[in-house]
């Protein structure tokens, strides 16, 4: 039997290599999404292919597998953090070594170019130019799924579990069914009620530079530290973190929709706050970053919706917004602004959808993904299917694919099984909220134009753990309760009943 | 004996890996220089160390060495491009395998942070905070030099040869001696003559956004393609290329010195034009990019000084500049502008120095580097020595280290032996110029506000070769003559005699 310290040191050597490659992909992805020139992607794909192969070789090396296997078999001798990491590592590593290297790297190099192709297709409302790439992504993922199936997990379940450990079609079906039974009737009542106020200010032009000025202000409110991160523009807002010292997010500014950049900023800054508040002691481990996709989304949506759309948040911050948009917001009251940012309406764009109708957008994507991976539908038919589901569930006609099936980057990045975590994240967020308000007076906390006290609570109860525990384990530590989606229903009903006077 | 095609294929496999790592360092370096947050560098250094080790393992792998050795021994069976590449590869690889991996990667990870430390030291006029790092860089380089010495090359010669193959202390001493004998008396005559014109417009404030507008215009004049590159800001302008499809440069804007960003742009766009005009057939080889440091500088300085400071260039473009800076240039004539951009004066900052006094700045750096590597002087004493040499050679007092010994990034990047290539590059540029004007009517070529015809000539005679030939071999092909520094003297004397009416 190898000495445990030697074993741990050998493991650490591999961790360093894995982290170095994670860093490489982190930085290339950031460049690709924010500024790389259009014509570089063909050549870049070649480098990505080689790098993916090199990374694969490390993950699939016999030496590492042997080390992890031995640590796994001696997990009771390990501290909690390393023990959890080794269990997860073995799971992830099993995933990698089961997939033949050629297929693994074909997908990776494909994904290095598809986001760019998607961005162009979206710009040109040209699904056909993107379809062959998406088709190949789905094909390759289906093949990968086959390699990864276990007695418990089959088909799409394999992907769901990757994004949220423990979640399956069965569980998601239950979750979405609860939403359907409890929420849909309420949503119908709300969306058929007209919120009376003069919303003409929302249709004015809000210059990009002023929007940027306000989102910079929001960075201060949320304590985003530019010594440990940066913000930029991209087609689709996203956050990317490498440790607590390098957390980056992007935004996109629409001059005819000033609300968009505000809530994208708060949303992404929610992700960024999570990444930056992980315990620095986890820096040199693989247990940094967020605990799961849903837990990450719970934080971004907590800040965006529960905090960011509240009266308590805007009481101190609305005057600043008015000062920046002097002309546009001259005669606008805080009440009307609150109505605008919480108005619930059936709409086309997921990222612009309100809190209440949002889960419907997720349901549509979840159903489509499920059917794609169950071979019930084909990539070519996605625009037609998409448009029908939008019509059936939201009652609106989709005018083009740019605002329809092409609106999200996720599939272009190979992320299938990701979307449902958004709805799950909202449910986590509500449960966390009811726990937080036992300790924190939100109104008082926000008075000084800073989320500091809230950040601190989340750091202590959620963020500091990084990914060193399972998401629902952290949820239980933070809320003293198992996951309970009824908080989500309660929160939405309370909030919207008040806004809509129901 | 291995089949040659198999051998070439094996070699190509390694080339792909080397290119992938080159790409990784290219993209990390770009990020580090242009936007990475301050606090990320400690963690980043860890990743860089691991990546440098991985790259080292590839370069030093027994398999690659055996392949290169066999190809080297069979070089007469190879086409010219591969033959040249293998000869150079063997030289470079010898360099790597002679240096112990620990020392190789210590320097690399040190260099990942020192440029940032230098930038802060420069900002704060604090040489002492940078000195320990610079000291360690020099120590490590000296150790590396020891490993790399041959019968022909000792000490500083080893570094000189790395930046410009074939150049040594002996040859550079001869070159700088010629400049001293032929040029220094002429420079004294010029700098003691006062160029009569009203230069008050040069002391006005030129807003950054307008400077950017003009440098964007210059990108069009020089045919810089944003589908194949991008431009950004950094503390010190630089150009970085990865193939012909991803060429990037930076600029720095001083509102009280509008001339600076104009000529930095033209200079860096000169480098960028070179990188982008290499034959795309060299894309998948290691023979892309510039032929050498001096050849690269010959192109940047050709565009910056010979073209960019000429009457022929500004005749069509000055009206555009006047239109952008309506107020500042209202009553300024083309003649006065030409005088301003060609005025020769002894000054402190190398990158701002005029064409004529520029080689004196290089001589100072060359002498200091030579003495550092001959153990005649110490890092701690650099500010004192620097200031004395500035006083002795240029007759001015250096007011602080920011404008003195800390002004250049090169040493922070471990680039010793690089500076002298700048002067050599200017000499190459002059020789190339006298050859170009046999084929191209520069005045006519520039009339349409485009350097297209000049770009084409340089592409055909210099750029297309990439690094598939030695610099002085390309110079001979382009000019039908061996390197002849007298063209440099001739060019400078002709130009400045005219401007100064001597």
């Amino acid at each position: 039997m190898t000495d445990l310290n030697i074993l741990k040191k050998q493991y650490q050597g591999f961790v360093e290599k894995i982290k170095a490659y994670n860093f490489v992909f982190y930085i290339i992805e950031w460049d690709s999404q924010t500024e790389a020139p259009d014509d570089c992607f063909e050549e870049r794909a070649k480098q990505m292919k080689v790098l993916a192969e090199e990374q694969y070789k490390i993950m699939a090396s016999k030496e590492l597998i042997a080390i992890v296997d031995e640590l796994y078999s001696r997990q009771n001798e390990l501290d909690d953090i390393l023990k959890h990491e080794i269990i997860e590592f073995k799971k992830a590593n099993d995933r990698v070594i089961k997939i033949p290297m050629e297929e693994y790297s074909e997908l990776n190099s494909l994904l290095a170019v598809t986001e760019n192709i998607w961005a162009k297709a979206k710009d040109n409302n040209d699904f056909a130019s993107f379809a062959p790439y998406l088709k190949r992504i789905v094909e390759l993922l289906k093949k990968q799924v086959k390699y990864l199936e276990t007695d418990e997990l089959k088909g799409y379940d394999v992907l769901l579990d990757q994004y949220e450990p423990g979640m399956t079609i069965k569980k998601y079906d239950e979750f979405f069914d609860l939403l359907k039974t409890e929420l849909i009737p309420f949503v119908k009542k709300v969306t058929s009620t007209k919120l009376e106020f003069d919303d003409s200010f929302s249709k004015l032009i809000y210059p990009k530079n002023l929007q940027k000025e306000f989102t910079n202000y929001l960075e201060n409110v949320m304590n985003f530290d530019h010594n440990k991160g940066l913000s930029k523009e991209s087609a689709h807002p996203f956050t990317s973190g490498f440790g607590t010292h390098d957390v980056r997010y992007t935004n996109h500014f629409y001059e005819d929709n000033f609300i968009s950049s505000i809530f994208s900023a708060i949303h992404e800054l929610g992700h960024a706050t999570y990444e930056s508040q992980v315990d620095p002691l986890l820096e040199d481990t693989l247990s940094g970053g967020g605990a799961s996709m849903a837990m990450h989304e719970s934080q971004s949506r907590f800040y965006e919706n529960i905090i960011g759309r509240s009266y308590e948040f805007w009481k101190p911050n609305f005057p600043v917004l008015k000062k920046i948009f002097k002309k546009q917001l001259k005669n606008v009251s805080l009440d009307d602004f609150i109505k605008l940012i919480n108005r619930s309406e059936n709409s086309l764009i997921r990222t612009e959808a309100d809190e209440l109708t949002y889960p419907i957008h997720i349901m549509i994507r979840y159903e489509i993904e499920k059917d794609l991976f169950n071979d019930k539908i084909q990539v070519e038919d996605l625009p037609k299917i998409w448009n029908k589901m939008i019509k059936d569930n939201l009652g609106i006609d989709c005018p083009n694919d740019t605002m329809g099936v092409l609106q999200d980057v996720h599939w272009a990045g190979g992320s299938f099984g990701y979307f449902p975590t958004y709805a799950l994240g909202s449910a986590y967020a509500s449960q966390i909220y009811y726990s937080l308000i036992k300790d924190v007076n939100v109104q008082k906390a926000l008075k000084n134009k800073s989320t500091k006290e809230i950040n601190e609570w989340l750091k202590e109860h959620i963020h500091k753990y990084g990914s060193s525990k399972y998401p629902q384990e952290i949820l239980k530590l933070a809320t003293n309760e198992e996951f309970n989606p009824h908080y989500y229903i309660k929160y939405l009903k309370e909030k919207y009943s008040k806004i809509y006077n129901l």
Side-chain angles (χ1 to χ4, degrees), chain A residues 390-403:
Chain A
I390 293 289
K391 183 74 183 173
D392 291 350
N393 287 284
L394 295 164
I396 27 182
D397 292 306
C398 204
N400 55 50
D401 293 336
T402 301
M403 300 175 79

Side-chain angles (χ1 to χ4, degrees), chain A residues 152-422:
Chain A
E152 294 81 31
L153 299 176
K154 304 280 178 203
Y156 185 44
D157 272 351
V158 170
L159 299 175
L160 291 173
D161 184 74
Q162 277 178 18
Y163 289 101
E164 194 67 15
M167 290 304 288
T168 58
I169 294 176
K170 191 166 169 286
K171 287 184 188 171
Y172 271 121
D173 280 352
E174 278 168 23
F175 173 60
F176 284 117
D177 283 349
L178 176 73
L179 295 187
K180 276 177 207 161
T181 339
E182 292 279 323
L183 204 64
I184 292 276
F186 180 72
V187 170
K188 277 199 179 142
K189 213 154 70 184
V190 170
T191 54
S192 62
T193 310
K194 200 170 151 42
L195 208 54
E196 294 294 346
F197 72 106
D198 177 6
D199 68 352
S200 57
F201 69 96
S202 71
K203 289 152 191 162
L204 303 173
I205 291 297
Y206 289 72
K208 185 171 161 178
N209 64 321
L210 297 184
Q211 289 193 42
K212 277 191 176 177
E213 193 182 327
F214 188 68
T215 55
N216 289 346
Y217 167 76
L218 285 176
E219 291 180 0
N220 288 333
V221 171
M222 290 181 64
N223 299 281
F224 183 70
D225 182 352
H226 275 271
N227 288 320
K228 301 185 192 313
L230 63 109
S231 53
K232 236 163 125 183
E233 288 178 59
S234 69
H236 184 91
F238 71 97
T239 301
S240 185
F242 186 78
T244 61
H245 52 276
D246 192 353
V247 179
R248 306 169 179 208
Y249 83 93
T250 68
N251 208 339
H252 193 92
F253 299 88
Y254 302 92
E255 296 212 318
D256 58 353
N257 181 2
F258 80 117
I259 291 305
S260 170
S261 71
I262 293 175
F263 290 98
S264 286
I266 302 177
H267 180 97
E268 300 307 332
L269 284 164
H271 283 303
T273 304
Y274 192 177
E275 290 283 326
S276 67
Q277 293 203 130
V278 170
D279 190 336
L281 289 175
L282 298 172
E283 208 78 283
D284 290 332
T285 72
L286 298 176
S287 300
S292 71
M293 292 296 144
M295 192 53 93
H296 236 308
E297 280 304 307
S298 81
Q299 298 309 292
S300 56
R301 303 191 78 75
F302 176 85
Y303 279 102
E304 179 193 347
N305 291 327
I306 301 181
I307 300 299
R309 293 182 197 271
S310 70
Y311 183 84
E312 291 75 16
F313 183 81
W314 287 104
K315 185 97 199 325
N317 294 312
F318 187 60
V320 180
L321 186 69
K322 277 190 86 149
K323 212 171 163 187
I324 291 174
F325 295 110
K326 273 188 203 73
K327 275 189 228 162
Q328 293 87 340
L329 298 177
K330 201 177 173 200
N331 296 312
V332 179
S333 69
L334 174 56
D335 277 351
D336 283 358
F337 180 72
I338 294 290
K339 279 181 185 161
L340 177 74
I341 64 176
N342 287 294
R343 180 161 56 185
S344 183
E345 276 172 336
N346 293 325
S347 64
L348 283 169
I349 308 293
R350 177 185 62 85
T351 54
E352 308 290 326
D354 58 80
E355 226 181 326
L356 196 63
T357 57
Y358 187 84
I360 301 175
H361 292 264
I362 298 304
M363 255 183 340
I364 291 171
R365 285 154 180 78
Y366 170 69
E367 298 293 342
I368 287 177
E369 291 187 359
K370 202 167 68 173
D371 287 351
L372 255 183
F373 281 83
N374 288 339
D375 298 318
K376 286 191 188 163
I377 59 175
Q378 301 300 319
V379 165
E380 294 83 348
D381 303 323
L382 286 186
K384 221 174 60 190
I385 293 162
W386 182 282
N387 295 347
K388 187 177 181 315
M389 289 183 81
I390 293 289
K391 183 74 183 173
D392 291 350
N393 287 284
L394 295 164
I396 27 182
D397 292 306
C398 204
N400 55 50
D401 293 336
T402 301
M403 300 175 79
V405 69
L406 285 173
Q407 68 181 263
D408 290 311
V409 69
H410 302 61
W411 293 342
S415 299
F416 285 85
Y418 188 152
F419 279 123
T421 66
Y422 289 151

Side-chain angles (χ1 to χ4, degrees), chain A residues 39-52:
Chain A
D39 291 0
C40 82
F41 290 97
E42 197 184 326
E43 185 74 13
R44 178 165 295 194
K46 294 183 201 164
Q47 323 310 331
M48 295 290 281
K49 186 169 175 292
V50 176
L51 293 168

Side-chain angles (χ1 to χ4, degrees), chain A residues 468-484:
Chain A
S468 69
K469 295 179 187 298
Y470 291 107
Q472 300 199 357
E473 212 179 325
I474 295 170
L475 189 69
K476 198 179 167 185
L477 281 169
T479 67
N480 282 317
E481 205 176 328
E482 297 290 340
F483 170 54
N484 179 354

Side-chain angles (χ1 to χ4, degrees), chain A residues 75-114:
Chain A
Q75 53 184 271
N76 292 333
E77 300 172 54
L78 309 176
D79 65 63
D80 282 354
I81 291 170
L82 186 57
K83 180 177 165 182
H84 180 269
E85 185 168 312
I86 288 293
I87 293 169
E88 280 304 285
F89 195 100
K90 188 164 163 57
K91 237 166 92 177
N93 211 7
D94 278 355
R95 273 204 289 267
V96 175
I97 56 180
K98 283 178 182 168
I99 300 165
M101 181 169 158
E102 270 182 27
E103 293 179 29
Y104 175 86
S105 65
E106 186 189 340
L107 182 59
N108 273 289
S109 59
L110 183 64
L111 295 179
V113 297
T114 44

